Amino acid sequence: MTGRGGADARGADRAPGGRLPVAGPAEVRRAAGRLVRADRRAFGWVIVLNALAAGAGVAGPWLLGRIVDVVRDGGRTGAVDRLALGILACSLAQLLLARWARYVGHRFGERTLARVREEFVDRALALPASVVERAGTGDLTTRGTADVAAVGTTLRDAGPELLVCSAQALFLLVAVFAIDPLLGAVGVLALTPLGWALRWYLRRARAGYLAQGAADSEVAEVLASTAAGARTVEAFRLRERRTAASRDALETSRRARFHTLYLRSVFFPAVEVSYTLPVAGVLLVGGVLHGRGAVSLGAVVAAALYLRQFTEPLDMILMRVEQLQSSGASFARVEGLARSPRAGADGGAVPVDDRIDVAGVRYAYEGGGEVLRGVDLTVRPGERLAVVGPSGAGKSTLSRLLAGVDAPTAGTVTVGGVPVAGLSPERLRRQVVLVTQEHHVFLGTVRENLLIAEPAASDEQVWAALGAVGAAEWVRGLPLGLDTRLGQGGCRADGSRAQQLALARVVLADPHTLILDEATALLDPATARHTERALAAVLRGRTVIAIAHRLHTAHDADRVAVMEDGRLTELGTHDELVAAGGAYAALWRTWHGDRADEQRAAEPPFSG
């Protein structure tokens, strides 16, 4: 319902091992075939129209060759005029058919791109939060923007163009063989160096462009995590470290881009040289054959024109092949989401009650040491539990395991006897919801932002949720109320208002257990006190687990759990722990002595 917890601290140095998968060549081909089959009628029309346009274009050089032979044989001007009109008619037919084919091809491409985008969004939304955490938002964002855009450009432009040019090239080669098989064989043989260059390029291009895409994702991830964790970077004086990480990512991206540039700089000059060989070969061999009377002059001219005309679609094909390598790598990254684990169904398992049990839980982030070490805890239904401890003790990590965001490395976290991490998203949000200081306002109306949590909610329920978190007044003051558009091009929701909207989503979701991890940290003191008072009524009767950074929260809890170095070291009521004289008592004495005035003024979030 709200953002991830603890992203600032971990995002600054995320290990690259959690990158999202990339689809293999066979998977990409199957996905492309699936997209074609989804709109096979339009694709069939594209093929037919391109073939007709190519056939019309083939007639021109043959008719010109006939003109040469007629003139050489002393024919009449009327015959030449008729042949010239034939050339004009064929050229006009080719133009109209080609434009029609491109129109149909562009429509096919746009519809197919829409399917690609919809599939990507569905797959991205189905990703477990832990997978997104490990992969980083930079990789997912790059795939959803730059990679999808590259696929769209290919579907809209390169795909239809490639079909047109391929049909033209095929018909032109067939026409040369029809004139004279020997001249056709010479033309094809002269293309051998081009085949070598193309094979050299294709063997290296896919890996090069995949590396470039991964490097771009890493740059986006480093920049995004640095910007999101700016306060953490400043607080821990990580500026030089983050600058060095940015430079390393940019250097990797630069090397990847230079490698693909090197591939193009070798491939395209070889292609340009290869273009002249078929025409030169046909003229030389055709001249010899004509001198021996084996072929007519018009046939040699027509064959040479065909091969000269052949270079235009061939040039376009090779340019599009280069683009296909880039977009193919992008499509592999987009289609790779299909290989990612999905937030799957829970097999129909229904928790028998609302009790949460943590047994022998251990957890380690990828590439790091253990954060939790053998935690055992039971949270009874309706209990108010405060989790306290120094920074880095594992409090936020425990909250993520309790909310099912991550699964423990060892041990179990269950609700009503069912593993929390194994619940489907729909069932999980009815059981446990994690509320953190991070939040997000989606592009759309206020109503749309809230109905994410409960699509069937009525306006009365939406207003009640807004009133519960103290947001009803400012929403009523918006130009269109619930229909006011938020985000770019609409009303801007600042940090406090955005967090109130996130909390209103929680109210609509109506879970039995709430995990609060600095849920009101970004609100100003007056708004925070008002929101906490409003939440107190909402929290009544629910299980509440509060990651307590202000000890007045722990003071009013039913029990307090103290975490130190990834272990649960103390558990009991506030009075019991103070009387025990342990770590909690020391924290309480330090906080109470320094913050007595604040404690008296603060409104406890657990109060009724």
Side-chain angles (χ1 to χ4, degrees), residues 339-506:
R339 300 173 58 184
S340 297
R342 299 172 68 87
D346 47 28
V350 179
V352 296
D353 55 30
D354 299 340
R355 170 171 155 166
I356 295 177
D357 291 296
V358 179
V361 164
R362 309 180 78 89
Y363 186 79
Y365 288 106
E366 188 172 355
E370 277 195 329
V371 182
L372 298 179
R373 301 174 176 85
V375 177
D376 294 287
L377 176 66
T378 295
V379 184
R380 298 182 292 268
E383 183 178 20
R384 312 299 176 90
L385 176 71
V387 182
V388 303
S391 178
K395 303 184 301 297
S396 293
T397 300
L398 178 61
S399 71
R400 292 164 58 81
L401 298 185
L402 293 171
V405 175
D406 290 313
T409 306
T412 59
V413 179
T414 61
V415 55
V418 179
V420 175
L423 293 174
S424 66
E426 293 75 15
R427 194 181 300 277
L428 178 61
R429 71 178 181 180
R430 301 299 184 191
Q431 301 289 332
V432 183
V433 167
L434 172 64
V435 185
T436 75
Q437 63 178 317
E438 298 179 42
H439 51 269
H440 186 75
V441 176
F442 297 91
L443 293 177
T445 65
V446 176
R447 181 185 286 103
E448 290 168 343
N449 265 269
L450 297 178
L451 292 183
I452 293 172
E454 180 50 73
S458 64
D459 281 2
E460 290 74 15
Q461 291 172 311
V462 170
W463 282 115
L466 290 171
V469 298
E473 183 177 350
W474 67 262
V475 172
R476 293 186 190 278
L478 295 175
L480 298 176
L482 292 177
D483 293 315
T484 303
R485 187 171 181 81
L486 301 177
Q488 186 177 5
C491 180
R492 183 177 180 274
D494 58 22
S496 62
R497 291 185 172 184
Q499 194 158 38
Q500 285 178 313
L501 291 176
L503 294 174
R505 292 188 198 116
V506 175

Side-chain angles (χ1 to χ4, degrees), residues 8 80 104 159 203 219 226 238 246 263 302 321 327 373 386 422 459 478 509-510 538 555 559 606:
D8 289 356
V80 174
V104 175
R203 290 175 61 184
V219 170
T226 301
L238 299 174
S246 300
L263 296 179
V321 164
S327 62
R373 301 174 176 85
D459 281 2
L478 295 175
D510 194 26
V538 177
H555 176 274
R559 286 193 301 164
F606 290 158

Side-chain angles (χ1 to χ4, degrees), residues 511-531:
H512 70 69
T513 297
L514 284 179
I515 303 173
L516 308 177
D517 189 356
E518 294 189 286
T520 59
L522 297 183
L523 304 181
D524 59 82
T527 305
R529 286 194 295 271
H530 183 73
T531 301

